Structures are given as structure tokens and as C-alpha cells.
Amino acid sequence: MNFETSPFLYKLNYLIKHKASTSIILAFLRFKITKPFFNTFRSKEKKNYRALIKNKLVTHDFFSINVFDWKKNLKRYKKKDISYLEIGSFEGISAYFIYTFFKNKNIHCVDTWQGSDEHGKDTNFKDVEFKFDNNLKNIKNLNKYKSTSDSFFDKNQNSFDIIYIDGLHRYNQVKKDLNNALKYLKEDGIIICDDYFWNLDGHKLEIPISAINEAVKENNLKIVAVTTNQIFLKKY
């Protein structure tokens, strides 16, 4: 098999290499099999959301590609009063989705807005934070924490229905963020981890996947979905 010429086989091999559970592999296969049937809808949702944020200050739109899968996998929470936490907010486009999709919500955004070597030297994080503030101004029930995730969780007393983890992508930090998130996840809550397939050639300690796979096994987490680059998790 030539994994380099087949993205599907390359990702499948990547999952096996990093000891993904059988349930993760099956969820990945289910996504790949069904993906062609939803591509039109996925493209439409992406286009619609980009139109919605056209007047926002956006340097890099990392989020619109996820809108269809977020709507699909979070629809059970749509009519609830939800509390949402995200670790790693960048310019606030994912939080803005929560604001537009859910009627009643408390939004908690944690970021240092100092960046890391993952973002490259060309990203000005003073500008990124300015855009976050501008994009989410006048939103009620928005809580901004300019802090590391470790410091946030040390002081946190809230629990959350939905937690989005998109902070530092190093193994140790992802593992800490996941374990801390699980402590404050409500019953029937969901955790979304971004960049599950990030940096496929990276060393274990420099990528998220092994930390996520280990947390799944150690906490017996349910795999709600594996998508193009994210994984949705629940506690049993």
C-alpha cells in the first residue's frame, strides 16, 4: 500500500500508528463512507457561514469548514440553555457560531492571545486579540479570560455542556486540557477536539492525537463523531 498517494490510507495508518481505539477507527470509516453524500450540504453551510461573518475581522478562517458537522452533532443541545467553554479562541469565529446557533447560552473564551511557535512569526497576536474583541463586542453572557488554560481551570467553578479544545497542540498540554475539561463537563455534555489529524508527520509529543486517544481509553469516552479534522467525545 502506498500511503503517500492515498490521504484516506495515510490517515487510517496514522490512527493505527497512534493506537486509536476500534471505536475511533470505526467512526473515521463511517465519516469517510458517508462524506460524499453530505458534501453538498457541507459546502453550503460553509458558504453561508462565511457570508454571515463577512463583516467580521478575520485573518484566517479556520472554522467555517466545521459548521455543518457542528450543527449536525450539536443539534441535540439547540433547545437547551447551554454553557460553552473554548480553550483557544483566536479571533472568536467559533464562539460567534455558538452565539448565532444557540438561543440561550453562556460563552466562556480562554486564550493568552500571545500565540506560540505553532502560529508562525507572521501572526500579530495584539491584532488577533483586537479582532476577537471587535468580533464579539455587544454579545451578552460572554466571558473572556486572558489566561493559560491551566490557570483558568485552577480557578474555575463552572460546569459546561460543550467544551471546545483548540489550545496548544503539544501532547502534554492537550492531555491536561482534556482531563481538566472532563472534570467540568456536565452529564450528557460533549467535548470537541480540534486538529485531531494535525501535523501527520510530527513527533508524538508535538501533536494532539496520542493525548486524545489515551484520554478516550483511560476515561472510556464515547466517540460521537470523527470528522475531517476534529473528534467529538462524550462521557458514558
Side-chain angles (χ1 to χ4, degrees):
M1 292 184 181
N2 189 345
F3 296 117
E4 293 182 0
T5 59
S6 170
F8 164 71
L9 291 177
Y10 196 90
K11 281 189 173 182
L12 182 60
N13 185 57
Y14 182 73
L15 290 173
I16 295 169
K17 174 184 175 182
H18 290 284
K19 301 179 181 179
S21 66
T22 301
S23 57
I24 291 176
I25 293 173
L26 289 175
F28 169 71
L29 293 174
R30 183 167 60 250
F31 175 75
K32 297 299 290 186
I33 291 168
T34 59
K35 186 175 182 291
F37 299 100
F38 294 103
N39 277 345
T40 300
F41 302 103
R42 188 170 278 107
S43 296
K44 182 179 179 181
E45 291 289 0
K46 177 181 175 181
K47 181 179 179 180
N48 288 344
Y49 193 67
R50 284 187 168 173
L52 183 67
I53 62 173
K54 67 179 181 179
N55 294 322
K56 298 298 181 182
L57 302 179
V58 181
T59 306
H60 303 290
D61 179 10
F62 300 119
F63 183 75
S64 294
I65 192 175
N66 302 313
V67 168
F68 172 83
D69 296 298
W70 278 47
K71 285 187 174 182
K72 180 175 182 287
N73 291 294
L74 300 180
K75 62 183 180 181
R76 74 191 74 179
Y77 307 97
K78 189 167 175 60
K79 295 183 179 180
K80 293 177 60 177
D81 293 343
I82 66 112
S83 184
Y84 169 79
L85 167 67
E86 63 178 30
I87 304 298
S89 290
F90 203 63
E91 294 172 343
I93 300 305
S94 50
Y96 190 72
F97 168 82
I98 295 294
Y99 169 71
T100 59
F101 186 64
F102 292 98
K103 184 177 180 180
N104 298 306
K105 60 271 167 181
N106 281 293
I107 300 172
H108 303 259
C109 296
V110 180
D111 203 310
T112 62
W113 284 282
Q114 294 178 355
S116 71
D117 55 6
E118 295 172 3
H119 299 96
K121 296 180 180 179
D122 295 332
T123 305
N124 181 339
F125 269 82
K126 287 186 178 179
D127 187 48
V128 169
E129 184 178 10
F130 171 80
K131 290 178 179 178
F132 171 90
D133 292 337
N134 184 277
N135 290 337
L136 300 182
K137 65 183 178 182
N138 302 323
I139 291 181
K140 294 180 180 179
N141 300 324
L142 173 70
N143 304 274
K144 175 187 174 185
Y145 307 86
K146 191 171 183 178
S147 161
T148 65
S149 55
D150 291 346
S151 295
F152 168 79
F153 281 118
D154 282 344
K155 300 173 183 177
N156 177 60
Q157 296 182 352
N158 297 305
S159 56
F160 306 98
D161 299 281
I162 302 167
I163 301 177
Y164 181 36
I165 298 178
D166 187 22
L168 188 65
H169 288 11
R170 302 294 177 103
Y171 167 89
N172 290 328
Q173 191 60 54
V174 174
K175 194 73 178 288
K176 283 197 291 183
D177 285 343
L178 254 173
N179 286 333
N180 280 325
L182 286 166
K183 295 176 186 176
Y184 298 102
L185 186 67
K186 291 183 182 179
E187 185 177 349
D188 197 42
I190 194 163
I191 293 177
I192 308 162
C193 297
D194 194 44
D195 292 320
Y196 183 59
F197 291 106
W198 184 74
N199 192 6
L200 298 182
D201 296 320
H203 185 273
K204 171 184 173 179
L205 295 179
E206 298 174 344
I207 55 179
I209 188 169
S210 290
I212 296 168
N213 290 345
E214 289 173 13
V216 166
K217 292 178 181 179
E218 292 166 3
N219 297 280
N220 191 30
L221 301 180
K222 179 180 178 181
I223 312 304
V224 177
V226 174
T227 64
T228 301
N229 206 30
Q230 297 185 327
I231 186 167
F232 295 67
L233 308 169
K234 287 184 70 174
K235 290 190 287 189
Y236 276 103

